[in-house]
Amino acid sequence: MTTTNKPINISSTNTNDALIDQLRACQNPEEILKFEKWFNSNIESDKLYKRICELLKNRSISRALGSKWLLTLIEDRENTITKLSVK
C-alpha cells in the first residue's frame, strides 16, 4: 500500500507571492529566523519550513533560494540542540 502526504493547501497565488516576497525581503539569517518565529506563532497553517518545501515542490521558488532559507532554519535548530546537549 502506498500513502502520500496531504499537500499543504496554500489558499491563493497572492498568499504564495506575499510569503515569497516577505522571505526575499530578509537580508540576513537573523531576519529569516525572526520572520520564522513570527510566522509560526501567528499563521494558523503549517510551520514555515513545510511551506518552503511546498513552494519548492510547486516550483514557485528556485532551489537555490529555498535551500538558503531551509539551511538557515536547520542550522538554527542544530545550534539550539547543541546548546541544550552541552548543559
Side-chain angles (χ1 to χ4, degrees), residues 22-36 48 65 68-73 75-76:
Q22 192 67 37
L23 282 165
R24 283 186 175 149
C26 297
Q27 298 297 314
N28 55 51
E30 291 77 25
E31 290 179 359
I32 293 171
L33 296 173
K34 183 178 177 182
F35 176 71
E36 179 200 22
L48 182 60
L65 192 55
K68 172 187 160 188
W69 295 335
L70 288 173
L71 185 60
T72 299
L73 302 179
E75 285 177 342
D76 180 61

Side-chain angles (χ1 to χ4, degrees), residues 13-50:
T13 303
N14 292 337
T15 305
N16 226 8
D17 292 343
L19 176 60
I20 293 167
D21 289 343
Q22 192 67 37
L23 282 165
R24 283 186 175 149
C26 297
Q27 298 297 314
N28 55 51
E30 291 77 25
E31 290 179 359
I32 293 171
L33 296 173
K34 183 178 177 182
F35 176 71
E36 179 200 22
K37 185 176 181 179
W38 175 87
F39 184 91
N40 289 344
S41 62
N42 292 305
I43 306 299
E44 294 183 8
S45 65
D46 284 311
K47 300 293 184 191
L48 182 60
Y49 70 89
K50 289 184 180 180

